[in-house]
Amino acid sequence: MVVAHSYFETTAFPPPAVDLIAAVTSDVPTDSREALRAAGWRTLLEVPTRVVPKDEFAAHGCNLTRNVKNFAKLFVWNLTEYEHVVQVDSDLLFVRDARGLFDERLLPLSLYTGGEFIAEYNLGVQVLRPNATWAAELSNILDTREWLNGTLSTCGENDLVNYFISTRHISVTPLPIEFNTRMPPHYRDSAARGPVFARAAVVHFAGNSAKPWRSRKPGRRPDAAAGATAVVAALPCNKTTWREEDFTSLWWCEVDMLYQQLPAHRRMLHRLEATTLRKRTKR
């Protein structure tokens, strides 16, 4: 919901110039699907879950902690009815106009390497021209577990696609950092972070520790007596200049705006905040 809302808030592509498609798996409940449509996703596309048993990962020295459903995102490589596809993960936030993602010079494939000192491509944002041959090859590599014999970090979908790119000699256009600005940052020099975050268009909350919903909502604190939350000083939602420490607050601002604009789905948003508070206060 937040991804779609932040896209409409920042990226001025009038419909139907871009088809907004949300990929869902079979276990996504009806109320969640209705909320996604209300937030702006015009089409919900159910995609198969590609699961690799954990014992197979263990046999290759991997302890996969990532959601194995992430392999489902590879469906975009087979959307051959489109000439230009931009796939974004659900843990992203649009903070500025990102129309540059639709620049044809990024085709047929553009990925970001994840940050300074990191050579691997990151799939948080994929820009590509779907290719049935590539899609079939990726599916075969997944089914045969071929990529598990390569260089592995998480054994997840990033390793799979990096293995495919390397062994099949696929040319990749570097995706500009402003379209996949990682949180937490991978820059050793903190002074170098400022210019990067100053021009960020799409922020990627990569890694479990960076997810905004895993942290307490800024501007609220537990009320011990009432067992509720009380509003305190919070970051204004209408800021236009963002610093590294502001992005989690901005994500929660988007949740607040959704709360006001989608009253029929407030129960789901309440559930999100309640879950967040339970995770933070559990001992």
Side-chain angles (χ1 to χ4, degrees):
M1 294 176 70
V2 170
V3 174
H5 189 267
S6 65
Y7 170 83
F8 284 118
E9 288 284 311
T10 60
T11 303
F13 261 122
V18 175
D19 286 343
L20 292 181
I21 302 172
V24 297
T25 49
S26 60
D27 58 343
V28 175
T30 299
D31 62 341
S32 296
R33 296 181 186 225
E34 292 174 352
L36 287 169
R37 289 191 181 95
W41 296 106
R42 301 188 186 98
T43 302
L44 300 187
L45 180 63
E46 190 164 307
V47 298
T49 302
R50 307 292 298 273
V51 177
V52 179
K54 289 189 176 183
D55 59 349
E56 294 192 31
F57 286 115
H60 290 80
C62 297
N63 180 18
L64 186 67
T65 57
R66 298 172 59 83
N67 189 343
V68 292
K69 290 182 181 179
N70 287 355
F71 291 113
K73 75 174 64 173
L74 301 178
F75 84 98
V76 297
W77 293 62
N78 212 22
L79 290 177
T80 53
E81 61 269 38
Y82 294 98
E83 287 289 321
H84 193 137
V85 170
V86 177
Q87 181 268 324
V88 297
D89 281 358
S90 59
D91 57 355
L92 273 78
L93 181 70
F94 287 83
V95 298
R96 288 190 180 84
D97 195 315
R99 281 178 287 182
L101 287 168
F102 295 91
D103 189 330
E104 291 187 358
R105 290 173 294 181
L106 296 177
L107 298 176
L109 178 62
S110 180
L111 299 167
Y112 178 57
T113 56
E116 189 180 17
F117 308 112
I118 296 180
E120 296 177 345
Y121 293 109
N122 176 268
L123 302 189
V125 179
Q126 301 180 73
V127 180
L128 69 153
R129 177 180 292 121
N131 183 310
T133 301
W134 285 2
E137 188 68 15
L138 274 171
S139 182
N140 181 66
I141 292 172
L142 177 59
D143 289 340
T144 63
R145 315 295 193 249
E146 177 188 338
W147 95 99
L148 290 177
N149 295 314
T151 301
L152 302 170
S153 56
T154 65
C155 299
E157 76 286 355
N158 284 311
D159 282 341
L160 172 63
V161 172
N162 276 277
Y163 177 86
F164 165 72
I165 290 170
S166 174
T167 59
R168 274 54 171 182
H169 309 291
I170 304 298
S171 178
V172 180
T173 300
L175 184 69
I177 189 173
E178 57 263 33
F179 298 129
N180 192 351
T181 303
R182 297 278 296 273
M183 287 288 293
H186 291 293
Y187 305 97
R188 296 179 184 175
D189 181 4
S190 59
R193 299 177 183 177
V196 171
F197 287 99
R199 68 176 191 269
V202 182
V203 174
H204 184 187
F205 298 99
N208 288 335
S209 63
K211 308 305 185 194
W213 54 89
R214 292 183 180 272
S215 62
R216 179 165 294 156
K217 184 175 182 178
R220 294 179 183 266
R221 56 178 171 77
D223 187 325
T229 56
V231 177
V232 295
L235 183 72
C237 294
N238 60 356
K239 285 191 64 175
T240 56
T241 302
W242 299 100
R243 300 170 299 169
E244 175 184 337
E245 58 268 28
D246 292 339
F247 291 121
T248 295
S249 295
L250 179 57
W251 190 91
W252 280 108
C253 281
E254 293 285 344
V255 173
D256 282 341
M257 285 188 280
L258 283 165
Y259 184 87
Q260 296 299 322
Q261 295 172 18
L262 303 177
H265 301 286
R266 286 179 178 175
R267 179 178 298 179
M268 179 173 295
L269 296 169
H270 273 309
R271 191 163 66 231
L272 172 64
E273 184 169 349
T275 301
T276 300
L277 289 174
R278 283 199 300 270
K279 286 180 178 178
R280 291 286 291 179
T281 57
K282 184 178 180 180
R283 293 291 185 266

